[in-house]
Amino acid sequence: MSTQHGTPHDSRRNRGLFRTKTVEQSIRDTEEPEHTLKKSLSALDLTVFGVGVVIGTGIFVLTGKIAKEQAGPAVALSFVVAGVVCALAALCYAEFASTVPVAGSAYTFSYASLGELPAWIIGWDLILELALGCAVVAVGWSGYVRSLLDSAGLHLPAGLSGTHEGQFGFDLLAFLLVLLLTAILVFGMKLSSRVTAVVVGIKVTVVLLVIIAGAFFINGANYTPFVPPSEPTEAGGGLGAPLSQLMFGFTPANFGTMGIFAAAAVVFFAFIGFDIVATAAEETRNPQRDVPRGILGSLAICTLLYVAVSIVVTGMQKYSKLSTDAPLADAFKDLGQPFFAGVISFGAAVGLTSVSMILLLGQSRVFFAMSRDGLLPRAFSRSHPRFGTPYRSTIALGAVVAVVAGFTSIDELAELVNIGTLFAFVVVAVGVILLRRSRPDLPRSFRTPLVPLVPVLSVAASVWLMLNLPAETWVRFAIWMVVGFVIYFLYGRSHSRLGLRNRQPAED
């Protein structure tokens, strides 16, 4: 009989819903021949993945929209605040990904620190986040391509252009994009990384071109006032109001100091995706060194680009006169520069292909890891004998996401992506603290500084941003979580490989 003090980890590991999977066992599972993923990625590949998934239409649209509506020229400071919040989470992700270099990201980290049920819940959450994120981006890409086709005199039939303003239709372009990206992912990570590198190269070139060209049209008077006077927002009610307003009676303000922080809660979502880098840890040649570099490097590059674009767009045109649909493109049009407006649309369309592909990549890796653990059918955890990719989970999820992108209006779904990401941030930060206590002996090539302060700050910042989401988003999220609980108790719990191992007679 062990003392409570002597083996807290072992006693907890065998305890039903909160049994934890050791880091050593997680790594051993990756060495099973039929479940092994090919290691082909470098730190540069991971950085490119991070930049590829974060830099999307947000850099061309969100910068000007938030400047006009919430922060004025101080939107640059909002991006810095949001970048700091993401950096707190990134430091936690970097420690976990270098300590547990296994596919699955927050799901795998949770299994090692919080236990099986929390791991299932975060995995279920990530499946929703990444599937909807991929579908949302594919539909956005379809809109840009249709716009470019219309400019060239080519028009798709209304019935194949998606669902818009209550008019039901099938989005053929979004459907085909997801199927194409699924095929690329099946054929191997190195091919995926090469395609992504080309796309990201084009996208970053367009962004830099816009920054450099826009700098020649900056008028210093447009920066005055840099922080416009505060304006209380109209108080709304019902489920459409932010949860913080319903809980505390708090009414947010636009502009002023509070406007900078309110805008940070919005522009934060332009950073969503850097955590995808952690899902590729198992396919990285030197994950202990390269995954932290990929996560932190991509976040630093994206923050710098966002701040630069926001400074340019608010300098080119007075913040109050910016358009909300395509502010950067329209600012160039108003200055008699239609060429750059076209370049922006092209860059957005090209860039969104990498965003969709990397979201789909991340989702298939989470699904693969959950399947390998037995929480989802094991058939999906087979890796391709030639390409070394989780082809079954990739094909199955690609087909589902293609259909969702083809038939779904994305307006109501986009915010579910946001709450899912923030929930994952909270879990990873808590997991860092718990694993430091339960397994201080683990070799950690990257250590989150100032533990527990940095993880606690990450949790606080993420929860604050979650409270700024509409209450109806919380309701939808709760429904998805309930469905997840049902599936776990009907299937996952009884098929768990860890549970089956623990049920084998092995008295200590």
Side-chain angles (χ1 to χ4, degrees):
M1 185 169 178
S2 62
T3 65
Q4 187 180 9
H5 213 58
T7 57
H9 181 71
D10 290 341
S11 64
R12 183 166 161 248
R13 191 183 62 154
N14 292 312
R15 190 186 303 155
L17 302 178
F18 294 94
R19 53 198 176 207
T20 55
K21 183 179 180 182
T22 64
V23 173
E24 292 81 1
Q25 184 61 56
S26 294
I27 295 174
R28 280 196 299 272
D29 286 348
T30 69
E31 297 167 354
E32 298 172 351
E34 60 185 9
H35 305 297
T36 299
L37 300 178
K38 186 176 180 180
K39 295 182 182 296
S40 60
L41 300 179
S42 65
L44 178 60
D45 292 324
L46 295 176
T47 303
V48 169
F49 275 141
V51 174
V53 74
V54 173
I55 300 295
T57 53
I59 199 165
F60 302 119
V61 178
L62 203 57
T63 47
K65 177 179 170 60
I66 299 305
K68 179 175 183 176
E69 296 178 350
Q70 288 189 288
V75 67
L77 299 180
S78 299
F79 275 108
V80 172
V81 171
V84 169
V85 173
C86 289
L88 293 172
L91 290 169
C92 299
Y93 269 90
E95 173 169 326
F96 253 128
S98 61
T99 307
V100 195
V102 177
S105 185
Y107 159 76
T108 300
F109 308 156
S110 302
Y111 216 157
S113 57
L114 300 173
E116 184 172 281
L117 180 59
W120 163 266
I121 290 301
I122 195 63
W124 186 245
D125 161 65
L126 287 172
I127 289 173
L128 173 74
E129 172 203 337
L130 299 174
L132 292 183
C134 182
V136 164
V137 173
V139 173
W141 174 87
S142 173
Y144 273 97
V145 172
R146 284 198 308 273
S147 175
L148 291 172
L149 290 175
D150 289 343
S151 300
L154 301 173
H155 307 285
L156 278 179
L160 296 177
S161 298
T163 300
H164 303 286
E165 299 176 356
Q167 183 178 358
F168 181 79
F170 179 72
D171 196 327
L172 179 64
L173 292 177
F175 177 80
L176 293 177
L177 174 68
V178 175
L179 293 185
L180 174 63
L181 297 179
T182 299
I184 292 174
L185 289 173
V186 168
F187 286 128
M189 278 295 282
K190 201 60 190 175
L191 174 62
S192 305
S193 67
R194 286 170 181 160
V195 171
T196 303
V198 172
V199 170
V200 171
I202 295 172
K203 181 163 54 176
V204 172
T205 299
V206 169
V207 172
L208 292 176
L209 180 64
V210 166
I211 292 170
I212 294 168
F216 287 98
F217 299 101
I218 288 177
N219 180 354
N222 290 332
Y223 292 128
T224 305
F226 189 74
V227 181
S230 178
E231 298 176 4
T233 59
E234 297 266 332
L239 292 178
L243 189 63
S244 59
Q245 181 178 323
L246 297 179
M247 291 176 65
F248 311 118
F250 170 73
T251 303
N254 289 333
F255 307 112
T257 303
M258 285 304 297
I260 294 173
F261 289 99
V266 179
V267 301
F268 164 82
F269 304 121
F271 288 91
I272 283 178
F274 74 87
D275 53 313
I276 300 293
V277 174
T279 68
E282 193 174 326
E283 294 158 276
T284 303
R285 288 193 292 266
N286 188 345
Q288 287 78 11
R289 181 195 68 191
D290 292 344
V291 173
R293 290 182 180 181
I295 292 174
L296 298 171
S298 59
L299 183 60
I301 291 170
C302 294
T303 303
L304 184 63
L305 291 176
Y306 277 136
V307 171
V309 168
S310 62
I311 289 173
V312 167
V313 71
T314 53
M316 289 173 63
Q317 195 170 38
K318 190 71 174 178
Y319 74 90
S320 57
K321 296 181 179 178
L322 289 168
S323 75
T324 55
D325 293 328
L328 200 51
D330 289 343
F332 275 107
K333 283 182 183 177
D334 290 344
L335 292 168
Q337 301 292 327
F339 168 77
F340 290 107
V343 167
I344 290 168
S345 295
F346 172 75
V350 172
L352 288 182
T353 58
S354 67
V355 179
S356 292
M357 184 167 74
I358 298 166
L359 288 171
L360 192 58
L361 179 151
Q363 186 199 28
S364 64
R365 271 52 181 179
V366 173
F367 200 90
F368 170 83
M370 296 175 75
S371 172
R372 187 166 59 189
D373 289 331
L375 301 180
L376 291 170
R378 290 267 289 165
F380 292 109
S381 64
R382 296 291 177 93
S383 57
H384 196 282
R386 178 181 173 189
F387 303 122
T389 56
Y391 69 109
R392 291 184 176 180
S393 59
T394 301
I395 292 171
L397 292 169
V400 171
V401 173
V403 172
V404 171
F407 285 106
T408 308
S409 174
I410 62 171
D411 295 340
E412 302 82 9
L413 299 179
E415 283 173 336
L416 277 171
V417 180
N418 305 337
I419 196 170
T421 301
L422 288 163
F423 181 58
F425 285 6
V426 170
V427 170
V428 170
V430 171
V432 165
I433 298 173
L434 293 179
L435 200 63
R436 283 279 189 100
R437 290 185 175 182
S438 64
R439 296 297 307 276
D441 57 306
L442 282 174
R444 292 169 168 84
S445 58
F446 180 92
R447 298 177 69 88
T448 304
L450 302 175
V451 173
L453 177 61
V454 167
V456 167
L457 289 175
S458 180
V459 170
S462 298
V463 169
W464 173 68
L465 292 178
M466 289 172 78
L467 291 175
N468 280 277
L469 290 169
E472 59 188 354
T473 300
W474 284 80
V475 172
R476 294 189 185 111
F477 183 65
I479 292 171
W480 178 257
M481 289 293 106
V482 169
V483 173
F485 274 106
V486 171
I487 293 175
Y488 173 75
F489 285 106
L490 291 180
Y491 181 89
R493 188 182 184 193
S494 59
H495 289 80
S496 163
R497 291 183 72 192
L498 181 61
L500 293 174
R501 288 191 192 111
N502 289 342
R503 283 196 287 274
Q504 293 174 355
E507 292 294 324
D508 293 329

